[in-house]
């Protein structure tokens, strides 16, 4: 996380609001020239100005300091908007129902971008009774391993934590259509759509 607000953050947020440096300055009691100095890195706003500045830019103080604006209007509306954050230092995993400003070990974590699994991370899915057995044939060493599986439907979220020296496998009730996720500590987040299983059909 940035220790303090940056010029580029102020500039981006001001431009998003579509107001001039003068207007922003007027709103918080400084000149447009002062705002220009902040934006070009020739000065920093006094700490007493941070709250009015965040208010004028239409974001919270924490968003201003982190340099991210949170655009979720209704983050709990749908688990399909799930975001995952993994700390590269300690491995902590954070799941959120929408984008958040997440930090761990003193750094801001970006929301992970999920990709289609490549052949080294392909899901093997086998139906076992009314559950599905998920497996990835992958290294499980401390240096390179799958650290979790997650199964997400619009109203359900299941996380299976995996550990080095274990197996990259787990059982999930994949009855509803949803998304299966896997996270490799080296290759990142993989995501695959899974069509629901009708328990009555074979
Ligand atoms: Fe991998």
């Amino acid at each position: 996380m940035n220790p303090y607000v940056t010029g580029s953050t102020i500039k981006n947020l001001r431009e998003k609001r579509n107001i001039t440096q003068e207007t922003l300055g007027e709103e918080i009691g400084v000149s447009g020239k002062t705002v220009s100095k902040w934006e070009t890195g020739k000065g920093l706003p006094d700490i007493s100005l941070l709250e009015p500045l965040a208010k004028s830019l239409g974001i919270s103080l924490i968003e201003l300091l982190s340099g991210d604006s949170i655009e979720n209007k209704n983050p709990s509306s749908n688990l399909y908007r799930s975001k995952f954050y993994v700390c590269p230092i300690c491995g902590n995993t954070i799941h959120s129902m929408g984008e958040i400003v997440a930090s761990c070990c003193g750094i801001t974590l970006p929301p992970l971008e999920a990709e289609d699994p490549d052949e080294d991370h392909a899901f093997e899915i086998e139906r076992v009774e009314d559950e599905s057995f998920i497996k990835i044939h992958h290294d499980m060493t401390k240096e390179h391993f799958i650290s979790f599986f997650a199964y997400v439907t619009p109203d359900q979220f299941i996380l299976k934590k995996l550990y080095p020296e274990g197996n990259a496998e787990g059982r999930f009730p994949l009855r509803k259509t949803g998304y299966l996720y896997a996270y490799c500590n080296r290759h990142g987040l993989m995501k695959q759509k899974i069509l629901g299983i009708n328990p009555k059909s074979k």
Side-chain angles (χ1 to χ4, degrees):
M1 196 181 286
N2 287 316
Y4 206 70
V5 65
T6 66
S8 59
T9 297
I10 298 172
K11 187 168 192 283
N12 290 341
L13 291 167
R14 179 182 59 75
E15 286 174 350
K16 238 183 188 173
R17 250 204 77 195
N18 220 356
I19 55 171
T20 63
Q21 293 174 335
E22 284 67 33
T23 307
L24 178 61
E26 260 171 43
E27 286 184 8
I28 59 172
V30 300
S31 67
K33 221 175 170 181
T34 301
V35 174
S36 166
K37 278 186 189 169
W38 298 340
E39 290 186 359
T40 51
K42 293 180 183 121
L44 284 171
D46 184 79
I47 193 160
S48 66
L49 288 171
L50 291 186
E51 252 187 83
L53 187 58
K55 209 170 163 192
S56 276
L57 294 169
I59 56 165
S60 66
L61 191 54
I62 187 81
E63 291 170 282
L64 181 67
L65 290 173
S66 71
D68 285 317
S69 64
I70 302 168
E71 290 182 356
N72 275 333
K73 296 285 182 278
N74 187 3
S76 60
S77 62
N78 191 332
L79 276 165
Y80 276 172
R81 296 170 71 183
S82 284
K83 297 285 176 198
F84 294 90
Y85 302 81
V86 177
C87 176
I89 297 170
C90 74
N92 190 12
T93 301
I94 300 167
H95 166 254
S96 160
M97 287 192 280
E99 203 161 314
I100 57 166
V101 178
S103 67
C104 190
C105 294
I107 55 170
T108 301
L109 308 176
L112 296 175
E113 197 79 42
E115 289 177 9
D116 291 337
D118 59 17
E119 57 180 22
D120 294 332
H121 301 84
F123 291 107
E124 190 180 281
I125 303 171
E126 188 195 330
R127 173 107 187 262
V128 182
E129 292 161 3
D130 61 349
E131 290 184 318
S132 290
F133 183 70
I134 309 296
K135 188 176 175 77
I136 295 182
H137 296 276
H138 189 279
D139 282 357
M140 287 298 276
T141 62
K142 274 183 189 149
E143 292 73 36
H144 186 195
F145 68 107
I146 304 294
S147 76
F148 68 81
F149 283 151
Y151 168 58
V152 178
T153 68
D155 63 357
Q156 198 176 28
F157 171 79
I158 302 171
L159 183 81
K160 164 85 177 160
K161 184 77 185 88
L162 302 167
Y163 297 94
E165 315 306 335
N167 292 323
E169 59 188 34
R171 278 173 181 240
F172 293 90
L174 303 184
R175 291 184 207 101
K176 287 184 183 172
T177 294
Y179 288 94
L180 197 56
Y181 290 85
Y183 182 75
C184 166
N185 72 321
R186 279 201 190 166
H187 299 105
L189 190 65
M190 321 281 160
K191 175 184 178 184
Q192 184 175 315
K193 189 168 188 175
I194 303 290
L195 293 176
I197 297 165
N198 179 353
K200 285 175 189 155
S201 67
K202 295 241 165 170

